[in-house]
Amino acid sequence: MILQLFKKTKSLDFERSYRAPVETVWRAWTQPEMLRQWWGPENTVVPQCDIDLRVGGQLYVVMEAGAAMGKYQGTRWPMEGTFTRIEENSRLTYDARSWTEGEEEGSTIHHTNDVTLIQRDEMTTVHLHISVSKIGPKAKMAAFGMKWGYKQQLDKLENHLAQQS
């Protein structure tokens, strides 16, 4: 049932506007020390983040469940990707795979993320398009929850950007 629901939406689209210059929003997506402060849904932290910002360069982010996630505390979810398009302060695209640490074989989700930034006056609009191409047999619930997780992540970005001004 869950996989059938997700088959109808193999892609996710989000659009958010932030009161921040496009350069600040770009740095939040491309500088490891900034990305670590807002990446992932609520009650997660990012203990590791590496970004080689060039086409063909790697992105590696590890999310870890905090104490508020109860029985999931300490669970780690790595994401490894390769940048395929970089237009400074404008567009960032990467092919990635995400999984639950220790269960990589069955829990991997393959996806392409395309981030577009547009500045109008004092606002920067972020459009995030995610195309999911493959879901491992143990990743159906995680794939179904991606929409919820990304919404929380974009909320955390808003809070992070508010602290930057």
Side-chain angles (χ1 to χ4, degrees):
M1 176 76 173
I2 291 170
L3 188 57
Q4 288 173 339
L5 289 171
F6 201 78
K7 279 184 179 178
K8 293 179 184 175
T9 54
K10 280 201 172 192
S11 63
L12 299 169
D13 286 284
F14 301 93
E15 186 170 289
R16 294 283 184 95
S17 293
Y18 301 103
R19 186 168 298 284
V22 71
E23 296 84 5
T24 303
V25 178
W26 177 261
R27 285 193 310 271
W29 281 91
T30 60
Q31 292 183 356
E33 62 279 0
M34 287 186 75
L35 190 134
R36 288 178 72 182
Q37 295 177 42
W38 64 271
W39 189 268
E42 290 297 323
N43 303 313
T44 62
V45 295
V46 176
Q48 185 174 354
C49 178
D50 301 306
I51 299 174
D52 180 8
L53 190 61
R54 61 183 174 82
V55 172
Q58 299 296 300
L59 167 67
Y60 185 73
V61 180
V62 177
M63 292 185 305
E64 184 174 307
M69 291 189 85
K71 69 179 183 176
Y72 296 105
Q73 180 179 1
T75 303
R76 294 166 57 99
W77 298 283
M79 181 192 73
E80 178 178 71
T82 302
F83 292 108
T84 58
R85 182 176 189 165
I86 297 172
E87 297 172 17
E88 189 171 350
N89 294 323
S90 175
R91 194 159 185 191
L92 187 66
T93 306
Y94 55 93
D95 294 330
R97 61 189 187 94
S98 306
W99 65 95
T100 301
E101 196 171 82
E103 300 177 25
E104 185 172 354
E105 188 173 319
S107 70
T108 300
I109 300 172
H110 294 263
H111 49 99
T112 298
N113 292 31
D114 185 35
V115 182
T116 305
L117 308 177
I118 300 167
Q119 183 169 349
R120 289 190 185 95
D121 300 319
E122 296 177 11
M123 302 293 289
T124 298
T125 299
V126 174
H127 179 78
L128 172 60
H129 176 78
I130 303 155
S131 298
V132 177
S133 58
K134 185 177 177 184
I135 301 168
K138 294 180 181 177
K140 293 172 187 160
M141 285 298 291
F144 188 70
M146 285 175 76
K147 184 174 186 176
W148 169 82
Y150 274 102
K151 281 183 177 183
Q152 286 192 357
Q153 178 170 299
L154 293 171
D155 289 345
K156 286 172 62 178
L157 174 58
E158 182 171 17
N159 294 334
H160 171 73
L161 292 169
Q163 294 171 6
Q164 299 301 305
S165 44

